[in-house]
Amino acid sequence: MTDPYRLLGVPDTADDAAIRAAYLAAIRACPPERDRSRFEQVRAAYESIATARDRLARALFDPTPPTVQDVLAILSADWLSLIHI
């Protein structure tokens, strides 16, 4: 499963309002009529971190290991932040 924070483009410390705003912006940019699978990913990401209780439960009980794509995305983002062009 991809990281819902990265998918919505919010930091791990975002509050409910910031997460909801990012979710609404993401579904406006990609409505279900245009790309159903992307819409479902965004909706699932929002539902997993929508409230403080959901975020705490996810942090405490999420046993899913990251996929290879998740690891590569994190590493590439970290490497790009180190490059000062």
Side-chain angles (χ1 to χ4, degrees):
M1 178 177 180
T2 59
D3 184 18
Y5 296 101
R6 285 188 183 268
L7 187 66
L8 293 174
V10 294
D12 295 347
T13 58
D15 61 348
D16 293 351
I19 291 171
R20 180 164 171 78
Y23 167 68
L24 293 175
I27 61 170
R28 270 189 237 112
C30 186
E33 298 84 21
R34 189 178 317 157
D35 188 357
R36 184 69 173 175
S37 64
R38 174 76 174 158
F39 177 80
E40 291 297 326
Q41 288 177 343
V42 169
R43 186 181 55 78
Y46 173 71
E47 288 176 356
S48 69
I49 60 170
T51 64
R53 184 177 178 157
D54 294 336
R55 292 189 294 278
L56 179 61
R58 184 180 191 291
L60 292 174
F61 304 114
D62 187 19
T64 57
T67 64
V68 173
Q69 290 82 13
D70 293 338
V71 173
L72 291 176
I74 291 168
L75 290 176
S76 66
D78 291 342
W79 281 105
L80 289 176
S81 69
L82 294 175
I83 298 173
H84 301 302
I85 296 177

